[in-house]
Amino acid sequence: MSGNSTNSCIDALDPSNRFLVSSVVYGLVLAVGLPLNAVSLWILLRSHGLRSPCAVLMVNLAVSDLLLVLSLPLRVYFYATLQWPFGVGTCTAAILLFRVNIRTSCIFITLISVDRLLALVFPLRSRSLRTTACACKCCVAVWILITILCIPEILHLRSKLKKCPNYTPCFEFQVLAKGSPTSAIAQATFILILLVVNIVSTVVVIVALSKRPSTGAAKINNKMNVILIFAVNMLVFIIFFLPFTIILLIKTQDKEGQILRGLICLASVNCCLDPLIYYFSLDSFWQDKGKRQTDVGTYSLSRTMERS
């Protein structure tokens, strides 16, 4: 593999098992993530709508995951054929969809954890804050902020990829190009702050639950669901987001880029785990509107805590 250390332009990619593995992984994520997230989004909109803050956050998380999944056929094609006939603009968009998913998923998962924390620990005092309107405003602000942050990256990627006259490396450009240290530090700080928020939320909720009576199967099941919500959130952060963030900080100009390539594959798998958050966070997830309670996330346990 020949390369240019400045902009990672290469004449061609030599076929290798590592590219085939990437293609298979992205294909599996596509096969699992597309139906899971499409069905989850359909159920969220049909059975829950935008009638609660938690449902609003989860709809936006599902949309973010679908955007990533819809870009995966391009990754499968590239790593299977090592060709890119779709142009610089399409490559830039596909790379940015991955970055947007990582950032928005981190934020929405954290907001879901905070929403569950407020609902369970401060159910009365948080009523004015935990509204559908507030959740919608937060989601709009997140999308606007991430879009603004992506504009310089779009311009940078396009300018660099246009300097590759013979062959567009596309996703391998993302792997081989040396990123800005400032950008890597900023992203790592951002992820770590959100991780700390999730850890604190988890600890506070576990302490609060330990002080509540747990007699009866229904109450025990509700407590388990609450713990599973936070466990899934922590799992997504620690397994899928944290390694990718750490490698950005310590990355050297590795000509093969095997570690980063593998972690990008791993990070894309997060979209297959997010539907578990919907299942454990929303009461009667599979039921119609007329057959469920309108509040979300361990409603009966919240009511018990209010009475205590």
Side-chain angles (χ1 to χ4, degrees), residues 97-171:
L97 283 176
F98 170 81
R99 297 183 182 182
V100 167
N101 172 259
I102 295 296
R103 294 160 184 171
T104 54
S105 292
C106 289
I107 297 174
F108 290 136
I109 288 173
T110 303
L111 289 175
I112 290 169
S113 293
V114 172
D115 175 76
R116 296 297 81 211
L117 167 67
L118 294 175
L120 294 166
V121 182
F122 309 105
L124 297 177
R125 283 179 286 180
S126 64
R127 280 181 176 176
S128 59
L129 182 63
R130 291 185 59 254
T131 63
T132 301
C134 183
C136 289
K137 291 176 183 177
C138 287
C139 291
V140 170
V142 168
W143 286 110
I144 292 175
L145 175 63
I146 297 302
T147 300
I148 293 174
L149 292 177
C150 285
I151 291 175
E153 295 182 357
I154 292 173
L155 299 176
H156 175 75
L157 279 171
R158 283 182 62 87
S159 65
K160 291 294 185 180
L161 286 169
K162 284 182 177 180
K163 293 179 181 179
C164 302
N166 300 323
Y167 177 73
T168 302
C170 197
F171 301 112

Side-chain angles (χ1 to χ4, degrees), residues 251-292:
K251 180 188 174 187
T252 58
Q253 191 64 20
D254 176 13
K255 66 178 182 179
E256 298 297 332
Q258 294 185 29
I259 297 176
L260 184 57
R261 185 183 298 109
L263 291 179
I264 291 174
C265 284
L266 180 64
S268 68
V269 179
N270 84 88
C271 65
C272 298
L273 196 60
D274 287 341
L276 292 178
I277 300 175
Y278 317 143
Y279 181 82
F280 291 118
S281 296
L282 293 176
D283 283 338
S284 306
F285 180 73
W286 302 99
Q287 295 182 12
D288 293 334
K289 294 179 182 178
K291 297 180 181 180
R292 67 176 182 81

Side-chain angles (χ1 to χ4, degrees), residues 33-34 36-45 49-50 54-71 96-98 100-105 108-109 112 139-140 142-143 147 270-271 274-275 278:
L34 181 59
L36 270 181
N37 284 283
V39 171
S40 295
L41 182 60
W42 179 75
I43 293 173
L44 285 168
L45 292 174
L50 302 177
C54 193
V56 170
L57 295 172
M58 291 180 182
V59 166
N60 280 270
L61 179 58
V63 170
S64 174
D65 288 338
L66 272 177
L67 289 176
L68 171 65
V69 170
L70 292 175
S71 73
L96 263 295
L97 283 176
F98 170 81
V100 167
N101 172 259
I102 295 296
R103 294 160 184 171
T104 54
S105 292
F108 290 136
I109 288 173
I112 290 169
C139 291
V140 170
V142 168
W143 286 110
T147 300
N270 84 88
C271 65
D274 287 341
Y278 317 143

Side-chain angles (χ1 to χ4, degrees), residues 159-195:
S159 65
K160 291 294 185 180
L161 286 169
K162 284 182 177 180
K163 293 179 181 179
C164 302
N166 300 323
Y167 177 73
T168 302
C170 197
F171 301 112
E172 280 299 287
F173 180 89
Q174 182 184 13
V175 172
L176 298 174
K178 187 173 182 179
S180 166
T182 302
S183 176
I185 292 172
Q187 178 161 320
T189 303
F190 169 74
I191 298 292
L192 290 174
I193 290 174
L194 295 181
L195 177 60

Side-chain angles (χ1 to χ4, degrees), residues 6-21:
T6 302
N7 56 24
S8 297
C9 288
I10 53 182
D11 296 328
L13 288 172
D14 297 327
S16 171
N17 288 335
R18 62 180 179 271
F19 299 131
L20 180 60
V21 170

